[in-house]
């Protein structure tokens, strides 16, 4: 691979990584908000609190799809550069169905726990993408 082509591939990988990182940051912020509303709902927030929590979870669900897509693109771009990795991020589904129909402390806790676990997975993903971007930038 020529130096010019390598530089181009590195730039494309970096751009894809930045986009994936931005998606993960937005997802993390939305999950933090859902977590806060979930905590309030857990301690008796009422119907309005549950509605806001579900709204945040619905937004997060779409953001998860976007982040996964951006991570897949980043992973494909990294195959073209000399940086070794295995980028796999499993983000589970939310338990909104059970929470919506069984609005009780147990289901509220399960949803809160799932939000927290997903948020931790996203934090791990952010850390991994940041590390990979750092490796890419050192290739320049």
């Amino acid at each position: 691979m020529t130096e010019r082509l390598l530089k181009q591939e590195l730039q494309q990988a970096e751009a894809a990584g930045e986009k994936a990182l931005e998606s993960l940051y937005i997802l993390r912020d939305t999950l933090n908000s859902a977590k806060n509303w979930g905590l309030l709902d857990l301690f008796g927030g009422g119907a309005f609190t549950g509605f806001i929590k579900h709204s945040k979870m619905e937004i997060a669900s779409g953001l998860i799809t976007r982040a996964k897509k951006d991570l897949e693109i980043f992973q494909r771009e990294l195959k073209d550069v000399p940086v070794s990795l295995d980028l796999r991020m499993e983000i589970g589904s939310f338990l909104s169905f059970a929470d919506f129909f069984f609005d009780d402390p147990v289901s509220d806790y399960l949803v809160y726990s799932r939000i927290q676990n997903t948020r931790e997975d996203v934090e791990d993903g952010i850390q991994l993408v940041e590390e990979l971007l750092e490796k890419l930038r050192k290739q320049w």
Side-chain angles (χ1 to χ4, degrees):
M1 180 178 299
T2 67
E3 187 174 328
R4 184 172 187 250
L5 184 58
L6 177 59
K7 185 175 181 179
Q8 183 180 3
E9 295 293 345
L10 287 167
Q11 288 173 335
Q12 290 173 351
E14 184 177 6
E18 289 291 342
K19 186 173 181 184
L21 194 57
E22 180 183 342
S23 293
L24 290 170
Y25 286 150
I26 292 168
L27 176 56
R28 178 185 60 191
D29 292 345
T30 303
L31 288 169
N32 282 337
S33 180
K35 181 186 83 157
N36 292 338
W37 284 102
L39 188 60
L40 188 58
D41 194 32
L42 184 61
F43 291 108
F48 178 73
T49 303
F51 174 77
I52 298 293
K53 176 185 70 178
H54 285 284
S55 178
K56 297 291 182 180
M57 289 169 55
E58 191 172 316
I59 292 168
S61 180
L63 292 171
I64 286 170
T65 301
R66 177 179 161 197
K68 282 184 174 183
K69 179 183 167 216
D70 290 344
L71 287 167
E72 288 169 0
I73 292 169
F74 183 39
Q75 187 171 26
R76 279 196 309 269
E77 289 295 334
L78 284 172
K79 289 180 181 176
D80 297 335
V81 296
V83 175
S84 63
L85 81 144
D86 185 19
L87 182 59
R88 288 198 182 115
M89 213 174 136
E90 291 300 322
I91 302 177
S93 62
F94 293 108
L95 300 174
S96 59
F97 176 80
D99 185 50
F100 187 75
F101 287 102
F102 306 108
D103 191 20
D104 60 42
V106 172
S107 60
D108 287 345
Y109 174 76
L110 290 174
V111 171
Y112 176 80
S113 177
R114 176 61 80 178
I115 292 169
Q116 180 63 21
N117 290 340
T118 302
R119 196 185 68 73
E120 289 170 4
D121 289 344
V122 170
E123 285 291 340
D124 291 344
I126 287 171
Q127 183 178 352
L128 176 60
V129 172
E130 287 174 341
E131 289 171 6
L132 290 169
L133 282 170
E134 184 64 31
K135 285 182 182 180
L136 281 173
R137 291 177 183 127
K138 287 180 181 179
Q139 297 287 327
W140 289 66

